[in-house]
Amino acid sequence: MPSNTAPRAVAVLLSALALSACSAQPSHAFARATTPSPTPSSAIPTVSPSPTAKPKPKSLAWYVAQVPTFPPAPVPVPVQVASSGPATVWSHVPTDQKVAFITIDDGALARPADVPEFIRQAHIPVTMFLNSPAATEYTDYFTRIEATGAVVGNHTIDHPELRGRSYDYQRREICGSADKLQQLFGKRPALFRPPFGEYDHTTAQAARDCGATVMVNWTETVNEGYVRYQTPEKVVKPGDVLLMHFRPALMDDLLGALKAIHKSGLTPALLADYVPGLTDPPTAEGDLPPRR
Ligand SMILES: [Zn+2]
């Protein structure tokens, strides 16, 4: 602290000059601001994190620590679906197995940075229904999620309402996106979700003609971490499909969905495992190599 007012007056004058220089030559001012200057050691905070400290709320470690422990997922028994004609429509997977399915839609609006790592560390099985322009622009992000075992589904190019539109229009939206997603991820999507959940018979036929076996809608929606149920019981039932979006609160949505599934006595599972032929047949325990 200055012991008299003279140096302070000089400092004020100098900073006023610096400010006017700032507005005249902003790039120079920014360059100076980043130049490291010696700092008295007493000014450096000496608090270091303790290894036993609880993770900071809303950090990646905090989210991972909040994930409930689930009963082991049953060996999936795929549900028979038609092999030709319009794609089969599910808003709920017709299975009695104690599983539920997490699906994440769109991709253009927001892609929270910690989501791929959260999905990987917490082993969350997810299906992404992507619009192909978002998948094209942010391929690296979605590839990181896909690398965890997630499945890429098709959600059209432009996210239009398809119901009532011509076959040609619907086919263009669905096949155009399927072509692009196949090019980006090396696999043609076999799962399709119509934007807004709106579809008609033409949609189901176009989906099939573009390579989709099943059109997947949903049972519960999740937003801002809260699960909205479509039935008064407020439980997730076996085979239910939970819908969320690539939005800023996706970390909370994933955690909210996991807690709701756990509270309902279920385990999250991969939707594609319930459609015949989409994933490798599950390995029965008896097929595992003997432990050494
Ligand atoms: Zn959508």
Side-chain angles (χ1 to χ4, degrees):
M1 287 287 284
S3 57
N4 57 54
T5 54
R8 182 178 289 167
V10 172
V12 169
L13 178 62
L14 284 174
S15 60
L17 285 169
L19 277 175
S20 65
C22 261
S23 46
Q25 293 173 297
S27 60
H28 179 69
F30 280 115
R32 283 174 62 91
T34 58
T35 306
S37 59
T39 310
S41 59
S42 61
I44 299 174
T46 53
V47 179
S48 59
S50 147
T52 55
K54 285 191 177 166
K56 197 165 143 257
K58 303 279 176 174
S59 65
L60 173 61
W62 181 86
Y63 280 100
V64 173
Q66 302 294 308
V67 173
T69 302
F70 290 93
V75 175
V77 177
V79 179
Q80 283 309 313
V81 294
S83 56
S84 61
T88 298
V89 183
W90 287 345
S91 54
H92 161 103
V93 179
T95 179
D96 293 332
Q97 294 195 301
K98 296 180 83 176
V99 291
F101 306 97
I102 292 177
T103 62
I104 317 173
D105 281 15
D106 301 349
L109 182 67
R111 292 152 307 284
D114 283 342
V115 163
E117 195 54 22
F118 183 34
I119 289 173
R120 190 185 74 78
Q121 288 189 22
H123 308 286
I124 310 171
V126 303
T127 305
M128 301 181 277
F129 289 98
L130 300 178
N131 298 119
S132 56
T136 305
E137 190 167 354
Y138 307 105
T139 310
D140 287 353
Y141 183 87
F142 300 116
T143 300
R144 284 179 63 204
I145 298 176
E146 197 213 10
T148 69
V151 169
V152 175
N154 181 1
H155 197 44
T156 73
I157 303 173
D158 298 320
H159 207 277
E161 187 168 321
L162 295 172
R163 188 168 56 183
R165 307 298 294 262
S166 70
Y167 174 82
D168 285 350
Y169 176 88
Q170 298 203 33
R171 188 188 165 102
R172 218 167 26 245
E173 276 288 340
I174 301 170
C175 280
S177 179
D179 291 346
K180 194 70 205 181
L181 294 171
Q182 180 174 8
Q183 185 191 328
L184 295 172
F185 300 101
K187 221 179 207 179
R188 195 163 186 85
L191 303 175
F192 172 70
R193 172 168 284 161
F196 315 106
E198 301 285 0
Y199 65 93
D200 57 17
H201 184 80
T202 304
T203 317
Q205 187 59 55
R208 166 75 72 182
D209 296 343
C210 297
T213 311
V214 181
M215 276 210 301
V216 185
N217 270 344
W218 58 86
T219 332
E220 283 89 21
T221 57
V222 192
N223 194 24
E224 302 288 337
Y226 294 99
V227 177
R228 179 174 294 172
Y229 299 86
Q230 292 187 356
T231 53
E233 300 94 0
K234 293 201 185 302
V235 289
V236 183
K237 292 182 293 308
D240 277 4
V241 178
L242 293 92
L243 162 71
M244 61 196 71
H245 292 83
F246 286 98
R247 286 179 182 154
L250 182 52
M251 296 290 281
D252 293 317
D253 293 345
L254 285 165
L255 187 58
L258 291 169
K259 286 182 171 175
I261 292 169
H262 181 261
K263 203 177 69 184
S264 305
L266 307 178
T267 299
L270 193 64
L271 215 156
D273 283 342
Y274 284 78
V275 181
L278 294 201
T279 51
D280 296 332
T283 310
E285 263 183 10
D287 295 341
L288 292 171
R291 287 178 186 217
R292 292 169 201 269

